[in-house]
Amino acid sequence: MYEKYWQRMGDKTTVVISGWQFTSYFSDPKNLCWFLEPELAEEVVRLHRVVGNAITKDYHIVVGTGSSQLFQAALYALSSDASEPMSVVSAAPYYSSYPVITDCLKSGLYKWEGDAQAFDKSGPYIELVTSPNNPDGFVRQSVVNRSGGILVHDLAYYWPQYTPITTPADHDLMLFTVSKTTGHAGMRIGWALVKDEIIARKIVKYIELSTIGVSKDSQLRAAKVLRAVSDSCGVAHPFKEETFFGFSHHSMESRWMLLREAVNRSGIFSLPEFTPGFCNFWNRVFEPLPAFAWLKCGDGIEDCESFLRGHKIWTRSGRYFGVSPSYVRISMLDRDRTFNLFVKRLSRIRSQRRMRLEHVD
């Protein structure tokens, strides 16, 4: 979806890197995160200040190869001193990669324990709070709320094209990623905002041991893109489509309107209903516009993924997210042609009851 905007920007985000540049592992040896390019750190701080979605003062910034690596690094940092494997939980429906990433190395430091709402095991635990949530788009809080717990806040979607920015987040450990902020998934750049210096150093150590830092080329490109986003907010009213967030927000608004119309016509499907909230960035009230549609099949359909595949619509089953296969997750961020084809195909599907009513009409 974002490709169209960046094509309009032309050479504003072009980066030229000579062959002799960035030959060292080190970016800033004096910094706690010694492989973080100062230019990227500056633009991360600036963008959070422009949007108002996170506090950066007195936080350590740690760059990672996407937020996936930072998630693994956070698990290592938070569990490395535990006397027994720490339980890792998240309220269902949870991000489908959490269980896979947590258990892929079969670590003795931590173990996936599933739905936080059903968690009753004693001992220390790590709760993953994704807000807005992937896959259903709702704003989340921790649910276990007992002693011995440590929270990791995944705020990949806490940006004004997706959800009202109600307050600057100030949690102990927060994860962000360029892929969901600007659409540049191929850069593989994410960052963590970490309050505790000891935890930040352990996260840095994990990345040092696994990849000896993070690509400087990608960091420099990410810095240029984030700078363009912040700059666009200063040359026009943020809600204008000339700005990155204006373009993104209008695109999401239009897509959600088209999808809801198709769902209402079907008589089979349903979507979450969101409570509008006041956004400090836009200075207006709007209803959340999540990056994914959390679609539920009715009409007696138990396997929504298989049903939609039969209509040439590719989705991801709710069973990967810890819930019923009557749910599916669908991306709202594909190119216009693909999204419009998806809506067109979905709108052709009718319940038997709806077809009878239309026939009578």
Side-chain angles (χ1 to χ4, degrees):
M1 184 188 81
Y2 296 106
E3 192 175 67
K4 185 191 296 185
Y5 178 84
W6 294 115
Q7 286 173 340
R8 291 181 191 172
M9 293 297 101
D11 293 333
K12 288 185 179 180
T13 55
T14 297
V15 176
V16 178
I17 300 173
S18 300
W20 56 267
Q21 289 181 288
F22 303 139
T23 55
S24 171
Y25 287 120
F26 295 92
S27 296
D28 184 359
K30 295 181 180 179
N31 190 0
L32 181 148
C33 184
W34 50 266
F35 46 81
L36 170 63
E37 285 294 307
E39 191 174 341
L40 177 58
E42 181 181 326
E43 295 305 328
V44 164
V45 170
R46 181 188 177 203
L47 185 59
H48 282 305
R49 183 173 63 248
V50 168
V51 174
N53 63 339
I55 300 294
T56 57
K57 186 179 180 182
D58 298 326
Y59 277 83
H60 301 281
I61 302 174
V62 183
V63 66
T65 305
S67 60
S68 295
Q69 185 185 36
L70 290 164
F71 168 58
Q72 292 174 299
L75 293 183
Y76 165 79
L78 297 172
S79 64
S80 58
D81 293 332
S83 58
E84 58 183 283
M86 289 188 70
S87 299
V88 180
V89 298
S90 186
Y94 43 69
Y95 177 39
S96 58
S97 290
Y98 283 158
V100 181
I101 294 175
T102 302
D103 285 344
C104 72
L105 296 178
K106 301 188 184 303
S107 172
L109 297 176
Y110 47 81
K111 181 182 179 183
W112 177 253
E113 293 288 353
D115 186 359
Q117 297 171 96
F119 180 65
D120 59 1
K121 188 176 179 180
S122 61
Y125 67 92
I126 298 170
E127 183 178 354
L128 312 172
V129 182
T130 306
S131 186
N133 190 42
N134 174 1
D136 63 13
F138 286 103
V139 172
R140 284 282 189 87
Q141 306 289 337
S142 60
V143 300
V144 180
N145 295 322
R146 69 164 190 251
S147 61
I150 304 173
L151 303 180
V152 175
H153 283 81
D154 185 343
L155 304 182
Y157 303 95
Y158 192 44
W159 296 98
Q161 66 266 50
Y162 305 124
T163 193
I165 304 302
T166 56
T167 186
D170 62 350
H171 309 291
D172 289 345
L173 203 168
M174 301 180 282
L175 304 180
F176 295 89
T177 175
V178 167
S179 66
K180 304 308 183 296
T181 309
T182 69
H184 291 86
M187 281 187 192
R188 307 310 308 131
I189 291 292
W191 65 93
L193 299 179
V194 190
K195 269 186 183 179
D196 187 276
E197 180 179 334
I198 294 174
I199 297 299
R201 289 188 182 278
K202 288 182 178 181
I203 292 175
V204 168
K205 188 64 177 177
Y206 178 93
I207 295 173
E208 175 188 329
L209 293 172
S210 61
T211 53
I212 321 179
V214 175
S215 167
K216 293 185 180 184
D217 296 21
S218 289
Q219 290 190 62
L220 193 66
R221 189 173 173 223
K224 194 75 174 283
V225 166
L226 296 187
R227 183 184 307 129
V229 172
S230 295
D231 286 349
S232 75
C233 295
V235 298
H237 187 280
F239 211 59
K240 297 288 186 181
E241 287 209 29
E242 299 96 290
T243 73
F244 172 77
F245 289 119
F247 166 85
S248 306
H249 186 84
H250 286 297
S251 297
M252 294 302 295
E253 212 165 35
S254 172
R255 289 183 173 207
W256 270 98
M257 181 183 70
L258 291 172
L259 179 59
R260 288 195 182 277
E261 287 175 355
V263 166
N264 290 338
R265 283 196 298 269
S266 74
I268 293 179
F269 309 111
S270 61
L271 289 164
E273 295 294 334
F274 301 104
T275 302
F278 183 82
C279 179
N280 292 323
F281 179 77
W282 296 123
N283 197 32
R284 64 187 282 265
V285 173
F286 76 93
E287 184 178 295
L289 306 163
F292 294 101
W294 188 234
L295 191 74
K296 185 178 182 181
C297 279
D299 222 31
I301 300 166
E302 296 182 357
D303 187 343
C304 194
E305 181 183 38
S306 297
F307 174 76
L308 289 173
R309 191 184 297 120
H311 292 271
K312 297 183 179 180
I313 298 173
W314 188 87
T315 64
R316 190 161 178 79
S317 173
R319 63 189 178 88
Y320 295 108
F321 304 90
V323 297
S324 164
S326 63
Y327 289 91
V328 292
R329 188 191 73 172
I330 305 170
S331 174
M332 297 290 288
L333 300 180
D334 215 315
R335 291 182 176 92
D336 286 345
R337 180 179 179 278
T338 305
F339 180 81
N340 291 336
L341 185 58
F342 152 61
V343 170
K344 183 178 180 181
R345 289 180 179 174
L346 193 73
S347 65
R348 290 173 177 168
I349 304 171
R350 296 283 197 279
S351 69
Q352 292 299 318
R353 179 176 177 275
R354 183 60 57 88
M355 290 175 67
R356 285 195 299 271
L357 289 173
E358 290 176 354
H359 181 71
V360 170
D361 290 343

PDB file of all heavy atoms in Angstrom, residues 305-332:
ATOM      1  N   GLU A 305     -10.711 -20.295   6.707  1.00  0.00           N
ATOM      2  CA  GLU A 305      -9.564 -20.241   5.802  1.00  0.00           C
ATOM      3  C   GLU A 305      -9.810 -21.113   4.566  1.00  0.00           C
ATOM      4  O   GLU A 305      -9.618 -20.677   3.420  1.00  0.00           O
ATOM      5  CB  GLU A 305      -8.296 -20.696   6.521  1.00  0.00           C
ATOM      6  CG  GLU A 305      -7.050 -20.644   5.654  1.00  0.00           C
ATOM      7  CD  GLU A 305      -5.820 -21.180   6.376  1.00  0.00           C
ATOM      8  OE1 GLU A 305      -5.958 -22.166   7.136  1.00  0.00           O
ATOM      9  OE2 GLU A 305      -4.731 -20.628   6.171  1.00  0.00           O
ATOM     10  N   SER A 306     -10.245 -22.350   4.784  1.00  0.00           N
ATOM     11  CA  SER A 306     -10.505 -23.255   3.666  1.00  0.00           C
ATOM     12  C   SER A 306     -11.666 -22.759   2.805  1.00  0.00           C
ATOM     13  O   SER A 306     -11.631 -22.855   1.572  1.00  0.00           O
ATOM     14  CB  SER A 306     -10.811 -24.661   4.186  1.00  0.00           C
ATOM     15  OG  SER A 306      -9.700 -25.207   4.864  1.00  0.00           O
ATOM     16  N   PHE A 307     -12.691 -22.241   3.469  1.00  0.00           N
ATOM     17  CA  PHE A 307     -13.858 -21.729   2.737  1.00  0.00           C
ATOM     18  C   PHE A 307     -13.444 -20.600   1.795  1.00  0.00           C
ATOM     19  O   PHE A 307     -13.816 -20.601   0.611  1.00  0.00           O
ATOM     20  CB  PHE A 307     -14.910 -21.227   3.729  1.00  0.00           C
ATOM     21  CG  PHE A 307     -16.080 -20.548   3.081  1.00  0.00           C
ATOM     22  CD1 PHE A 307     -17.071 -21.276   2.435  1.00  0.00           C
ATOM     23  CD2 PHE A 307     -16.187 -19.159   3.105  1.00  0.00           C
ATOM     24  CE1 PHE A 307     -18.144 -20.641   1.827  1.00  0.00           C
ATOM     25  CE2 PHE A 307     -17.256 -18.516   2.507  1.00  0.00           C
ATOM     26  CZ  PHE A 307     -18.240 -19.261   1.859  1.00  0.00           C
ATOM     27  N   LEU A 308     -12.646 -19.648   2.298  1.00  0.00           N
ATOM     28  CA  LEU A 308     -12.246 -18.513   1.471  1.00  0.00           C
ATOM     29  C   LEU A 308     -11.247 -18.930   0.394  1.00  0.00           C
ATOM     30  O   LEU A 308     -11.231 -18.350  -0.702  1.00  0.00           O
ATOM     31  CB  LEU A 308     -11.667 -17.402   2.345  1.00  0.00           C
ATOM     32  CG  LEU A 308     -12.695 -16.674   3.216  1.00  0.00           C
ATOM     33  CD1 LEU A 308     -12.015 -15.717   4.175  1.00  0.00           C
ATOM     34  CD2 LEU A 308     -13.701 -15.921   2.358  1.00  0.00           C
ATOM     35  N   ARG A 309     -10.409 -19.936   0.705  1.00  0.00           N
ATOM     36  CA  ARG A 309      -9.486 -20.419  -0.314  1.00  0.00           C
ATOM     37  C   ARG A 309     -10.264 -20.961  -1.516  1.00  0.00           C
ATOM     38  O   ARG A 309      -9.829 -20.839  -2.661  1.00  0.00           O
ATOM     39  CB  ARG A 309      -8.570 -21.497   0.256  1.00  0.00           C
ATOM     40  CG  ARG A 309      -7.411 -21.856  -0.690  1.00  0.00           C
ATOM     41  CD  ARG A 309      -6.558 -22.986  -0.153  1.00  0.00           C
ATOM     42  NE  ARG A 309      -5.922 -22.614   1.099  1.00  0.00           N
ATOM     43  CZ  ARG A 309      -6.097 -23.256   2.249  1.00  0.00           C
ATOM     44  NH1 ARG A 309      -6.908 -24.307   2.298  1.00  0.00           N
ATOM     45  NH2 ARG A 309      -5.480 -22.872   3.342  1.00  0.00           N
ATOM     46  N   GLY A 310     -11.408 -21.543  -1.232  1.00  0.00           N
ATOM     47  CA  GLY A 310     -12.259 -22.033  -2.312  1.00  0.00           C
ATOM     48  C   GLY A 310     -12.784 -20.919  -3.200  1.00  0.00           C
ATOM     49  O   GLY A 310     -13.211 -21.163  -4.332  1.00  0.00           O
ATOM     50  N   HIS A 311     -12.759 -19.677  -2.671  1.00  0.00           N
ATOM     51  CA  HIS A 311     -13.169 -18.504  -3.450  1.00  0.00           C
ATOM     52  C   HIS A 311     -11.957 -17.687  -3.892  1.00  0.00           C
ATOM     53  O   HIS A 311     -12.081 -16.494  -4.207  1.00  0.00           O
ATOM     54  CB  HIS A 311     -14.117 -17.642  -2.613  1.00  0.00           C
ATOM     55  CG  HIS A 311     -15.452 -18.285  -2.363  1.00  0.00           C
ATOM     56  ND1 HIS A 311     -16.525 -18.133  -3.223  1.00  0.00           N
ATOM     57  CD2 HIS A 311     -15.878 -19.105  -1.358  1.00  0.00           C
ATOM     58  CE1 HIS A 311     -17.559 -18.819  -2.753  1.00  0.00           C
ATOM     59  NE2 HIS A 311     -17.198 -19.421  -1.625  1.00  0.00           N
ATOM     60  N   LYS A 312     -10.785 -18.331  -3.875  1.00  0.00           N
ATOM     61  CA  LYS A 312      -9.531 -17.710  -4.316  1.00  0.00           C
ATOM     62  C   LYS A 312      -9.153 -16.494  -3.479  1.00  0.00           C
ATOM     63  O   LYS A 312      -8.679 -15.478  -3.997  1.00  0.00           O
ATOM     64  CB  LYS A 312      -9.612 -17.338  -5.801  1.00  0.00           C
ATOM     65  CG  LYS A 312      -9.798 -18.535  -6.723  1.00  0.00           C
ATOM     66  CD  LYS A 312      -9.793 -18.116  -8.185  1.00  0.00           C
ATOM     67  CE  LYS A 312      -9.947 -19.336  -9.094  1.00  0.00           C
ATOM     68  NZ  LYS A 312      -9.936 -18.950 -10.531  1.00  0.00           N
ATOM     69  N   ILE A 313      -9.357 -16.611  -2.154  1.00  0.00           N
ATOM     70  CA  ILE A 313      -8.934 -15.575  -1.209  1.00  0.00           C
ATOM     71  C   ILE A 313      -8.019 -16.233  -0.189  1.00  0.00           C
ATOM     72  O   ILE A 313      -8.422 -17.156   0.516  1.00  0.00           O
ATOM     73  CB  ILE A 313     -10.142 -14.916  -0.503  1.00  0.00           C
ATOM     74  CG1 ILE A 313     -11.042 -14.225  -1.530  1.00  0.00           C
ATOM     75  CG2 ILE A 313      -9.665 -13.915   0.545  1.00  0.00           C
ATOM     76  CD1 ILE A 313     -12.336 -13.689  -0.936  1.00  0.00           C
ATOM     77  N   TRP A 314      -6.773 -15.761  -0.121  1.00  0.00           N
ATOM     78  CA  TRP A 314      -5.771 -16.345   0.773  1.00  0.00           C
ATOM     79  C   TRP A 314      -5.791 -15.614   2.111  1.00  0.00           C
ATOM     80  O   TRP A 314      -5.699 -14.388   2.152  1.00  0.00           O
ATOM     81  CB  TRP A 314      -4.384 -16.264   0.146  1.00  0.00           C
ATOM     82  CG  TRP A 314      -3.317 -16.990   0.891  1.00  0.00           C
ATOM     83  CD1 TRP A 314      -2.958 -18.289   0.797  1.00  0.00           C
ATOM     84  CD2 TRP A 314      -2.450 -16.425   1.885  1.00  0.00           C
ATOM     85  NE1 TRP A 314      -1.920 -18.587   1.649  1.00  0.00           N
ATOM     86  CE2 TRP A 314      -1.602 -17.473   2.333  1.00  0.00           C
ATOM     87  CE3 TRP A 314      -2.307 -15.147   2.452  1.00  0.00           C
ATOM     88  CZ2 TRP A 314      -0.621 -17.275   3.308  1.00  0.00           C
ATOM     89  CZ3 TRP A 314      -1.336 -14.958   3.423  1.00  0.00           C
ATOM     90  CH2 TRP A 314      -0.520 -15.999   3.837  1.00  0.00           C
ATOM     91  N   THR A 315      -5.913 -16.371   3.195  1.00  0.00           N
ATOM     92  CA  THR A 315      -5.964 -15.784   4.536  1.00  0.00           C
ATOM     93  C   THR A 315      -5.122 -16.645   5.490  1.00  0.00           C
ATOM     94  O   THR A 315      -4.512 -17.627   5.081  1.00  0.00           O
ATOM     95  CB  THR A 315      -7.408 -15.734   5.060  1.00  0.00           C
ATOM     96  OG1 THR A 315      -7.895 -17.087   5.195  1.00  0.00           O
ATOM     97  CG2 THR A 315      -8.318 -14.965   4.114  1.00  0.00           C
ATOM     98  N   ARG A 316      -5.131 -16.270   6.766  1.00  0.00           N
ATOM     99  CA  ARG A 316      -4.438 -17.053   7.795  1.00  0.00           C
ATOM    100  C   ARG A 316      -5.438 -17.412   8.879  1.00  0.00           C
ATOM    101  O   ARG A 316      -6.099 -16.541   9.459  1.00  0.00           O
ATOM    102  CB  ARG A 316      -3.266 -16.275   8.379  1.00  0.00           C
ATOM    103  CG  ARG A 316      -2.342 -17.106   9.279  1.00  0.00           C
ATOM    104  CD  ARG A 316      -0.999 -16.435   9.426  1.00  0.00           C
ATOM    105  NE  ARG A 316      -0.095 -17.160  10.308  1.00  0.00           N
ATOM    106  CZ  ARG A 316       0.604 -18.241   9.960  1.00  0.00           C
ATOM    107  NH1 ARG A 316       0.474 -18.740   8.751  1.00  0.00           N
ATOM    108  NH2 ARG A 316       1.424 -18.825  10.799  1.00  0.00           N
ATOM    109  N   SER A 317      -5.539 -18.704   9.162  1.00  0.00           N
ATOM    110  CA  SER A 317      -6.569 -19.219  10.066  1.00  0.00           C
ATOM    111  C   SER A 317      -6.386 -18.735  11.499  1.00  0.00           C
ATOM    112  O   SER A 317      -5.264 -18.571  11.991  1.00  0.00           O
ATOM    113  CB  SER A 317      -6.548 -20.752  10.041  1.00  0.00           C
ATOM    114  OG  SER A 317      -7.415 -21.286  11.029  1.00  0.00           O
ATOM    115  N   GLY A 318      -7.510 -18.584  12.189  1.00  0.00           N
ATOM    116  CA  GLY A 318      -7.498 -18.211  13.597  1.00  0.00           C
ATOM    117  C   GLY A 318      -6.768 -19.201  14.484  1.00  0.00           C
ATOM    118  O   GLY A 318      -6.302 -18.834  15.566  1.00  0.00           O
ATOM    119  N   ARG A 319      -6.641 -20.457  14.048  1.00  0.00           N
ATOM    120  CA  ARG A 319      -5.964 -21.451  14.887  1.00  0.00           C
ATOM    121  C   ARG A 319      -4.502 -21.103  15.112  1.00  0.00           C
ATOM    122  O   ARG A 319      -3.909 -21.501  16.132  1.00  0.00           O
ATOM    123  CB  ARG A 319      -6.087 -22.853  14.279  1.00  0.00           C
ATOM    124  CG  ARG A 319      -5.442 -23.052  12.932  1.00  0.00           C
ATOM    125  CD  ARG A 319      -5.811 -24.408  12.323  1.00  0.00           C
ATOM    126  NE  ARG A 319      -5.247 -24.603  11.002  1.00  0.00           N
ATOM    127  CZ  ARG A 319      -4.037 -25.112  10.773  1.00  0.00           C
ATOM    128  NH1 ARG A 319      -3.273 -25.489  11.798  1.00  0.00           N
ATOM    129  NH2 ARG A 319      -3.581 -25.273   9.541  1.00  0.00           N
ATOM    130  N   TYR A 320      -3.890 -20.352  14.190  1.00  0.00           N
ATOM    131  CA  TYR A 320      -2.501 -19.918  14.383  1.00  0.00           C
ATOM    132  C   TYR A 320      -2.392 -18.819  15.434  1.00  0.00           C
ATOM    133  O   TYR A 320      -1.300 -18.526  15.926  1.00  0.00           O
ATOM    134  CB  TYR A 320      -1.908 -19.403  13.068  1.00  0.00           C
ATOM    135  CG  TYR A 320      -1.790 -20.466  12.004  1.00  0.00           C
ATOM    136  CD1 TYR A 320      -2.643 -20.466  10.892  1.00  0.00           C
ATOM    137  CD2 TYR A 320      -0.837 -21.477  12.096  1.00  0.00           C
ATOM    138  CE1 TYR A 320      -2.543 -21.434   9.908  1.00  0.00           C
ATOM    139  CE2 TYR A 320      -0.725 -22.453  11.115  1.00  0.00           C
ATOM    140  CZ  TYR A 320      -1.586 -22.428  10.028  1.00  0.00           C
ATOM    141  OH  TYR A 320      -1.479 -23.390   9.062  1.00  0.00           O
ATOM    142  N   PHE A 321      -3.513 -18.217  15.753  1.00  0.00           N
ATOM    143  CA  PHE A 321      -3.539 -17.112  16.714  1.00  0.00           C
ATOM    144  C   PHE A 321      -4.136 -17.536  18.058  1.00  0.00           C
ATOM    145  O   PHE A 321      -4.467 -16.698  18.894  1.00  0.00           O
ATOM    146  CB  PHE A 321      -4.331 -15.940  16.125  1.00  0.00           C
ATOM    147  CG  PHE A 321      -3.803 -15.465  14.803  1.00  0.00           C
ATOM    148  CD1 PHE A 321      -4.271 -16.011  13.610  1.00  0.00           C
ATOM    149  CD2 PHE A 321      -2.831 -14.483  14.735  1.00  0.00           C
ATOM    150  CE1 PHE A 321      -3.791 -15.594  12.376  1.00  0.00           C
ATOM    151  CE2 PHE A 321      -2.336 -14.050  13.514  1.00  0.00           C
ATOM    152  CZ  PHE A 321      -2.808 -14.605  12.335  1.00  0.00           C
ATOM    153  N   GLY A 322      -4.322 -18.839  18.225  1.00  0.00           N
ATOM    154  CA  GLY A 322      -4.804 -19.370  19.502  1.00  0.00           C
ATOM    155  C   GLY A 322      -6.302 -19.353  19.680  1.00  0.00           C
ATOM    156  O   GLY A 322      -6.785 -19.462  20.806  1.00  0.00           O
ATOM    157  N   VAL A 323      -7.058 -19.226  18.572  1.00  0.00           N
ATOM    158  CA  VAL A 323      -8.519 -19.181  18.680  1.00  0.00           C
ATOM    159  C   VAL A 323      -9.155 -20.084  17.619  1.00  0.00           C
ATOM    160  O   VAL A 323      -8.468 -20.835  16.931  1.00  0.00           O
ATOM    161  CB  VAL A 323      -9.060 -17.738  18.551  1.00  0.00           C
ATOM    162  CG1 VAL A 323      -8.553 -16.863  19.693  1.00  0.00           C
ATOM    163  CG2 VAL A 323      -8.679 -17.136  17.206  1.00  0.00           C
ATOM    164  N   SER A 324     -10.462 -19.988  17.476  1.00  0.00           N
ATOM    165  CA  SER A 324     -11.239 -20.841  16.571  1.00  0.00           C
ATOM    166  C   SER A 324     -10.879 -20.622  15.102  1.00  0.00           C
ATOM    167  O   SER A 324     -10.626 -19.474  14.679  1.00  0.00           O
ATOM    168  CB  SER A 324     -12.734 -20.553  16.774  1.00  0.00           C
ATOM    169  OG  SER A 324     -13.502 -21.061  15.712  1.00  0.00           O
ATOM    170  N   PRO A 325     -10.890 -21.700  14.291  1.00  0.00           N
ATOM    171  CA  PRO A 325     -10.656 -21.556  12.848  1.00  0.00           C
ATOM    172  C   PRO A 325     -11.810 -20.887  12.110  1.00  0.00           C
ATOM    173  O   PRO A 325     -11.741 -20.723  10.893  1.00  0.00           O
ATOM    174  CB  PRO A 325     -10.459 -23.004  12.378  1.00  0.00           C
ATOM    175  CG  PRO A 325     -11.143 -23.845  13.395  1.00  0.00           C
ATOM    176  CD  PRO A 325     -10.990 -23.116  14.697  1.00  0.00           C
ATOM    177  N   SER A 326     -12.849 -20.510  12.834  1.00  0.00           N
ATOM    178  CA  SER A 326     -13.919 -19.735  12.195  1.00  0.00           C
ATOM    179  C   SER A 326     -13.470 -18.296  11.937  1.00  0.00           C
ATOM    180  O   SER A 326     -14.164 -17.535  11.251  1.00  0.00           O
ATOM    181  CB  SER A 326     -15.188 -19.734  13.056  1.00  0.00           C
ATOM    182  OG  SER A 326     -14.956 -19.115  14.296  1.00  0.00           O
ATOM    183  N   TYR A 327     -12.305 -17.911  12.497  1.00  0.00           N
ATOM    184  CA  TYR A 327     -11.714 -16.597  12.258  1.00  0.00           C
ATOM    185  C   TYR A 327     -10.568 -16.699  11.268  1.00  0.00           C
ATOM    186  O   TYR A 327      -9.890 -17.733  11.188  1.00  0.00           O
ATOM    187  CB  TYR A 327     -11.163 -16.001  13.554  1.00  0.00           C
ATOM    188  CG  TYR A 327     -12.187 -15.559  14.559  1.00  0.00           C
ATOM    189  CD1 TYR A 327     -12.644 -16.434  15.540  1.00  0.00           C
ATOM    190  CD2 TYR A 327     -12.694 -14.258  14.553  1.00  0.00           C
ATOM    191  CE1 TYR A 327     -13.583 -16.029  16.481  1.00  0.00           C
ATOM    192  CE2 TYR A 327     -13.627 -13.842  15.489  1.00  0.00           C
ATOM    193  CZ  TYR A 327     -14.067 -14.735  16.454  1.00  0.00           C
ATOM    194  OH  TYR A 327     -14.987 -14.338  17.378  1.00  0.00           O
ATOM    195  N   VAL A 328     -10.320 -15.616  10.542  1.00  0.00           N
ATOM    196  CA  VAL A 328      -9.130 -15.507   9.705  1.00  0.00           C
ATOM    197  C   VAL A 328      -8.580 -14.090   9.793  1.00  0.00           C
ATOM    198  O   VAL A 328      -9.313 -13.138  10.090  1.00  0.00           O
ATOM    199  CB  VAL A 328      -9.411 -15.833   8.218  1.00  0.00           C
ATOM    200  CG1 VAL A 328      -9.755 -17.293   8.027  1.00  0.00           C
ATOM    201  CG2 VAL A 328     -10.485 -14.920   7.636  1.00  0.00           C
ATOM    202  N   ARG A 329      -7.283 -13.976   9.516  1.00  0.00           N
ATOM    203  CA  ARG A 329      -6.641 -12.662   9.429  1.00  0.00           C
ATOM    204  C   ARG A 329      -6.335 -12.359   7.971  1.00  0.00           C
ATOM    205  O   ARG A 329      -5.824 -13.209   7.248  1.00  0.00           O
ATOM    206  CB  ARG A 329      -5.340 -12.646  10.236  1.00  0.00           C
ATOM    207  CG  ARG A 329      -4.717 -11.259  10.356  1.00  0.00           C
ATOM    208  CD  ARG A 329      -3.309 -11.321  10.912  1.00  0.00           C
ATOM    209  NE  ARG A 329      -2.377 -11.849   9.903  1.00  0.00           N
ATOM    210  CZ  ARG A 329      -1.035 -11.868  10.062  1.00  0.00           C
ATOM    211  NH1 ARG A 329      -0.500 -11.423  11.185  1.00  0.00           N
ATOM    212  NH2 ARG A 329      -0.257 -12.356   9.125  1.00  0.00           N
ATOM    213  N   ILE A 330      -6.642 -11.143   7.564  1.00  0.00           N
ATOM    214  CA  ILE A 330      -6.412 -10.722   6.174  1.00  0.00           C
ATOM    215  C   ILE A 330      -5.658  -9.391   6.194  1.00  0.00           C
ATOM    216  O   ILE A 330      -6.041  -8.463   6.906  1.00  0.00           O
ATOM    217  CB  ILE A 330      -7.736 -10.548   5.409  1.00  0.00           C
ATOM    218  CG1 ILE A 330      -8.567 -11.833   5.478  1.00  0.00           C
ATOM    219  CG2 ILE A 330      -7.478 -10.154   3.964  1.00  0.00           C
ATOM    220  CD1 ILE A 330      -9.974 -11.673   4.964  1.00  0.00           C
ATOM    221  N   SER A 331      -4.602  -9.289   5.401  1.00  0.00           N
ATOM    222  CA  SER A 331      -3.826  -8.049   5.335  1.00  0.00           C
ATOM    223  C   SER A 331      -4.626  -6.943   4.660  1.00  0.00           C
ATOM    224  O   SER A 331      -5.285  -7.161   3.634  1.00  0.00           O
ATOM    225  CB  SER A 331      -2.521  -8.275   4.579  1.00  0.00           C
ATOM    226  OG  SER A 331      -1.840  -7.030   4.404  1.00  0.00           O
ATOM    227  N   MET A 332      -4.537  -5.747   5.225  1.00  0.00           N
ATOM    228  CA  MET A 332      -5.161  -4.567   4.630  1.00  0.00           C
ATOM    229  C   MET A 332      -4.121  -3.697   3.912  1.00  0.00           C
ATOM    230  O   MET A 332      -4.435  -2.583   3.472  1.00  0.00           O
ATOM    231  CB  MET A 332      -5.843  -3.731   5.715  1.00  0.00           C
ATOM    232  CG  MET A 332      -6.981  -4.421   6.430  1.00  0.00           C
ATOM    233  SD  MET A 332      -8.431  -4.647   5.387  1.00  0.00           S
ATOM    234  CE  MET A 332      -9.043  -2.958   5.280  1.00  0.00           C
TER     235      MET A 332
END
